[in-house]
Amino acid sequence: MDPCEVVVAVDLGGTRMKCGLVAADGALLHRETRPTPRDAGGRAVLDALLETVVELSQKATADGHRVRAIGVVVPGVIDAENGTVGAENLEWVRTPVFAELKAAIGEDIPIVLAHDVRAGGYAELRQGALAGTTNSMFLPLGTGIAAAMVVDGSLVSGDGYAGELGHSKFIYGDAAELCACGQWGCLETVASAAAIARRYSTRTGRTVDGAREVMELLAAGDPDAAQVWKDALTFLIDALVLYTTLVAPTRIAIGGGLIGAGETLLQPLREGVHERLTFQREPEIVAAVLGDEAGMLGAAQMAWDSVTADGEGQE
């Protein structure tokens, strides 16, 4: 590969980091995956992130490339003004991620710190399932649930706080479970991939290997898997109807681990939303197309945008 200008892109997840060196034309010149040392605590996670960014920058230079910007996307709530991140799963509380990245890089290179789901939504908007839309949503259903919201052509950041659909309350009474955020009855406690596996195990006393095994049991006719799946669909439909009523998307792209269920997930969502809507504009409900590289690709695109804007910042 001939030397060229690149950005360093890192998508920090709860279990692994997806990393890459991406050229201006979108070519992925290098990709790798590294573990996220979540069990070692929040400081260890931050150190691993900083080490990854520095080592990828060094690799780019050693290969003859020029690093133009750094794009890092993370879960949790980003305080855009202060560059801090709160992420329960990473044991981060107002952690100064942006300042630490600046200190680690030690050069005058633009740095973008953004939310992982918004970055994934940005990639789907630029080159994926949401391309051509001006009002749409990217909704990955994985360990957690959050939404990337495109409204009137713009990706909504809310100063780093927008899109936490998974922490909207939809379950009431005795059925409500305590969420990691401290609230009872969040959508995430029933409809995330992690919740589906956990609720099946709680219901049956059987340990399962994630939501994928629950889906296999569902296909085999297991009644407990069927009930857990029905509950997840019920509240997902509630969430999609509410979002549609408020924001009127023309397309909703579902991603994350649960999209592996394919039409077993999508068709009931389409039918349930269709039955519930009256005057609202009905959205097209489709599968996201960029898979687990969406966040990293979005990080790269945001980083290149910062070069164009000749600045740095948080999203």
Side-chain angles (χ1 to χ4, degrees):
M1 177 62 65
D2 293 333
C4 64
E5 295 186 335
V6 300
V7 296
V8 173
V10 179
D11 176 8
L12 174 65
T15 58
R16 58 198 175 110
M17 289 180 271
K18 280 83 73 178
C19 320
L21 298 176
V22 184
D25 63 359
L28 189 55
L29 305 185
H30 171 78
R31 69 154 63 83
E32 64 180 79
T33 301
R34 299 188 179 199
T36 299
R38 185 173 60 176
D39 293 342
R43 182 68 234 185
V45 171
L46 181 57
D47 287 342
L49 171 63
L50 299 176
E51 179 181 277
T52 297
V53 169
V54 169
E55 290 182 356
L56 283 172
S57 299
Q58 291 172 342
K59 174 176 175 51
T61 301
D63 290 345
H65 304 308
R66 178 191 176 196
V67 177
R68 293 299 311 277
I70 309 291
V72 174
V73 299
V74 300
V77 174
I78 300 172
D79 182 332
E81 182 177 351
N82 297 305
T84 59
V85 180
E88 295 149 356
N89 290 336
L90 302 179
E91 297 184 19
W92 283 357
V93 180
R94 293 186 295 278
T95 299
V97 177
F98 187 78
E100 292 267 7
L101 285 168
K102 286 283 291 180
I105 295 301
E107 300 179 49
D108 188 20
I109 295 176
I111 297 173
V112 173
L113 174 64
H115 189 271
D116 54 354
V117 172
R118 278 193 288 279
Y122 190 57
E124 291 286 352
L125 179 64
R126 292 280 296 269
Q127 64 186 78
L130 301 182
T133 66
T134 54
N135 290 281
S136 54
M137 175 173 67
F138 170 55
L139 185 67
L141 306 174
T143 303
I145 298 175
M149 307 182 298
V150 180
V151 178
D152 293 341
S154 298
L155 192 66
V156 179
S157 170
D159 298 322
Y161 289 83
E164 296 294 341
L165 187 61
H167 294 293
S168 297
K169 184 178 179 70
F170 287 96
I171 303 97
Y172 293 85
D174 293 340
E177 300 176 38
L178 181 63
C179 182
C181 76
Q183 180 176 234
W184 290 81
C186 290
L187 176 67
E188 195 169 290
T189 65
V190 173
S192 67
I196 287 170
R198 174 182 49 77
R199 296 184 79 244
Y200 181 85
S201 294
T202 299
R203 184 181 180 90
T204 64
R206 293 175 51 195
T207 300
V208 292
D209 184 20
R212 179 177 300 179
E213 184 174 348
V214 178
M215 298 309 301
E216 293 171 353
L217 291 165
L218 174 68
D222 185 301
D224 292 304
Q227 186 60 55
V228 169
W229 186 242
K230 179 181 178 182
D231 292 343
L233 290 172
T234 295
F235 294 112
L236 279 172
I237 290 166
D238 283 347
L240 295 183
V241 169
L242 176 62
Y243 186 86
T244 296
T245 304
L246 292 175
V247 191
T250 58
R251 189 178 303 157
I252 296 172
I254 308 293
L258 280 190
I259 197 57
E263 290 301 311
T264 303
L265 171 66
L266 294 174
Q267 191 57 31
L269 292 181
R270 294 185 190 113
E271 292 173 354
V273 170
H274 177 77
E275 290 171 0
R276 292 273 302 278
L277 298 183
T278 54
F279 67 91
Q280 302 96 325
R281 177 170 64 184
E282 183 170 348
E284 181 185 14
I285 299 176
V286 302
V289 299
L290 297 179
D292 64 1
E293 287 193 337
M296 189 265 288
L297 293 173
Q301 290 169 346
M302 289 177 170
W304 276 115
D305 286 351
S306 76
V307 173
T308 304
D310 193 28
E312 60 187 43
Q314 304 88 33
E315 290 292 335

